[in-house]
Amino acid sequence: MCYGIQGAGRGAPELVKEAHSVKMSARELFVPAVVTTLRTIDPGEIRAVTLVLPDEYEMAGTRYPIRDEMRPGNAFLARPIGARTGKFRRRMYTRSNSAVTSERILETIINHTHEERADSSIWWQTEEVEALQRKGGTIEVRMGLSQDGTQLILYENSARCEDTNLRLEPDGEWQRMRFLGIAFSTGITPFLAHLRYMKALEFGRTREHPGSYYTLVVSVRKPRHLMEHDELLELARKFPENFRYYPVLTREWPADWPYGKGRIIRSRGTTNGEEGVDLGPLLGVAPDLQNYHVRMCGNKTARNQLQRGLQQGGYRPLSFRSEIW
Ligand SMILES: Cc1cc2nc3c(=O)[nH]c(=O)nc-3n(C[C@H](O)[C@H](O)[C@H](O)COP(=O)(O)OP(=O)(O)OC[C@H]3O[C@@H](n4cnc5c(N)ncnc54)[C@H](O)[C@@H]3O)c2cc1C
């Protein structure tokens, strides 16, 4: 049984030893997941990745079934390689699909951050990952041991809903909520998970209740960065009473682009040390912002700007939760 990243071509013997000792200590358990799909959305910039976990895993002669009940909006922990450091890193990736329809199949979308310290985010965009996928290679994904010690459970980052994560509200709650999701680039991942889960449950529609309502605003630079665009258009067509999709292109757009153009949240410049924020374009999509539970995923600058805009305009949504990377 092998434990390391297979076919990655570096550091394998040390990794096997290290991973094995970690498993035995039962503190942090990792299981190899096969990189089955790699879809390049923009070369060198954005890739959609699928990792598939086995349905059981053997440790010290015992076979443990792997359970996947991951909550939509949560992230899993994997061990990719850092292109800059050459070391295995521990990194979180928000799952973009749902455990209810794709058990043990982990989809995510990863971008090159272009940060000074960028490491694993560069590696994911390399030819090395393509070679890994062609060979049926694996990446380790963290597990937990069930309380009775008989099963491995996919580790997820958030055990409860907090203002700083996007774990979906408990079943029975979200069905009665009205959401405004604001996604910046790969920040679409938690919203895809929410929507795919809600779709599987028909948005919680019953004879008595119309179910949840979700407006998703997605902001990307150019058309090729639109992720799962056709699927989202189709979802809006199929569930017009539950879902609205509003993609925004900030730098390039086709002449006949019918949705948002330019930034959805704009700076008015700085006065007395405080940046003025114009939420006009966002309010154009959701004029009754106060009737929404606002959810946001993106970088810190965008989150701060959005919060400042809400504060300056005196807009008080029903709730505000965000996750920043
Ligand atoms: C909950 C959560 C969900 C996320 N979901 C996604 C997702 O769906 N998609 C996505 O693309 N990203 C996601 N991320 C971000 C992702 O986990 C990574 O942080 C991101 O891809 C950047 O990784 P990186 O290794 O390139 O850089 P960083 O995470 O910025 O790491 C750089 C690392 O390099 C090391 N380092 C820095 N300077 C030095 C130095 N001088 N010498 C040696 N080492 C140094 C440090 O250990 C540092 O941690 C998520 C993050 C979180 C927290």
Side-chain angles (χ1 to χ4, degrees):
M1 186 66 69
C2 294
Y3 298 107
I5 293 188
Q6 299 304 298
R10 39 175 139 173
E14 292 74 17
L15 183 76
V16 168
K17 195 169 151 217
E18 183 199 336
H20 193 259
S21 68
V22 167
K23 275 186 224 335
M24 292 306 107
S25 75
R27 272 183 287 120
E28 272 205 351
L29 307 168
F30 285 90
V31 163
V34 179
V35 186
T36 56
T37 320
L38 206 56
R39 186 162 45 92
T40 300
I41 292 165
D42 190 4
E45 295 294 325
I46 307 177
R47 267 180 174 166
V49 182
T50 307
L51 304 174
V52 177
L53 288 160
D55 53 12
E56 57 176 19
Y57 191 65
E58 189 183 318
M59 291 189 300
T62 306
R63 298 192 84 78
Y64 293 84
I66 293 180
R67 210 169 80 204
D68 168 19
E69 292 175 356
M70 193 172 187
R71 191 71 189 155
N74 267 353
F76 60 90
L77 183 73
R79 299 223 311 154
I81 298 175
R84 188 174 51 76
T85 57
K87 294 179 181 164
F88 288 101
R89 320 297 321 203
R90 296 165 83 259
R91 293 287 180 268
M92 290 284 190
Y93 300 102
T94 305
R95 185 175 183 173
S96 56
N97 62 347
S98 165
V100 293
T101 51
S102 312
E103 202 182 347
R104 292 184 302 276
I105 301 171
L106 311 179
E107 291 180 9
T108 187
I109 308 174
I110 303 173
N111 68 301
H112 182 343
T113 63
H114 293 285
E115 295 291 335
E116 201 185 322
R117 291 174 156 201
D119 200 6
S120 56
S121 68
I122 307 175
W123 180 74
W124 278 112
Q125 314 303 328
T126 62
E127 153 66 23
E128 202 173 320
V129 184
E130 286 171 37
L132 184 69
Q133 186 256 332
R134 279 196 299 270
K135 284 179 199 164
T138 60
I139 300 252
E140 292 192 327
V141 173
R142 188 173 168 189
M143 299 287 140
L145 199 59
S146 63
Q147 273 193 339
D148 64 4
T150 61
Q151 297 179 81
L152 292 174
I153 302 169
L154 177 61
Y155 169 88
E156 47 193 301
N157 67 325
S158 305
R160 64 191 69 82
C161 296
E162 284 166 17
D163 290 351
T164 52
N165 68 47
L166 291 176
R167 181 186 170 100
L168 182 65
E169 281 71 10
D171 293 345
E173 279 185 33
W174 62 260
Q175 287 90 336
R176 290 176 181 268
M177 293 171 72
R178 205 160 176 262
F179 296 96
L180 172 62
I182 307 167
F184 292 90
S185 186
T186 50
I188 194 172
T189 49
F191 301 116
L192 287 173
H194 289 181
L195 288 163
R196 286 164 170 172
Y197 182 70
M198 289 182 185
K199 181 190 174 198
L201 301 178
E202 303 219 309
F203 285 85
R205 299 171 67 128
T206 62
R207 256 190 297 181
E208 296 76 35
H209 197 273
S212 63
Y213 186 81
Y214 218 115
T215 294
L216 178 65
V217 176
V218 172
S219 174
V220 296
R221 293 206 304 270
K222 45 189 172 177
R224 76 179 307 162
H225 287 186
L226 289 167
M227 290 158 256
E228 314 308 350
H229 182 61
D230 291 340
E231 179 186 331
L232 292 166
L233 288 173
E234 179 55 28
L235 190 63
R237 264 194 296 271
K238 200 167 170 201
F239 292 93
E241 284 153 23
N242 297 92
F243 177 53
R244 181 177 175 211
Y245 173 50
Y246 193 80
V248 179
L249 296 169
T250 62
R251 296 218 188 131
E252 295 169 20
W253 48 83
D256 58 350
W257 181 245
Y259 303 102
K261 298 170 196 158
R263 288 175 174 271
I264 194 84
I265 300 167
R266 295 180 186 164
S267 176
R268 291 186 203 269
T270 304
T271 332
N272 300 329
E274 197 191 51
E275 184 198 27
V277 179
D278 173 16
L279 290 188
L282 180 65
L283 289 163
V285 185
D288 56 337
L289 199 70
Q290 72 282 1
N291 295 327
Y292 279 101
H293 292 274
V294 175
R295 305 288 178 258
M296 179 265 170
C297 189
N299 63 36
K300 194 173 174 182
T301 311
R303 195 272 317 271
N304 291 350
Q305 224 181 19
L306 174 58
Q307 282 188 316
R308 217 174 298 126
L310 292 172
Q311 194 190 14
Q312 287 170 1
Y315 303 108
R316 298 168 71 94
L318 295 171
S319 67
F320 182 87
R321 293 173 59 202
S322 62
E323 189 162 86
I324 56 171
W325 307 328

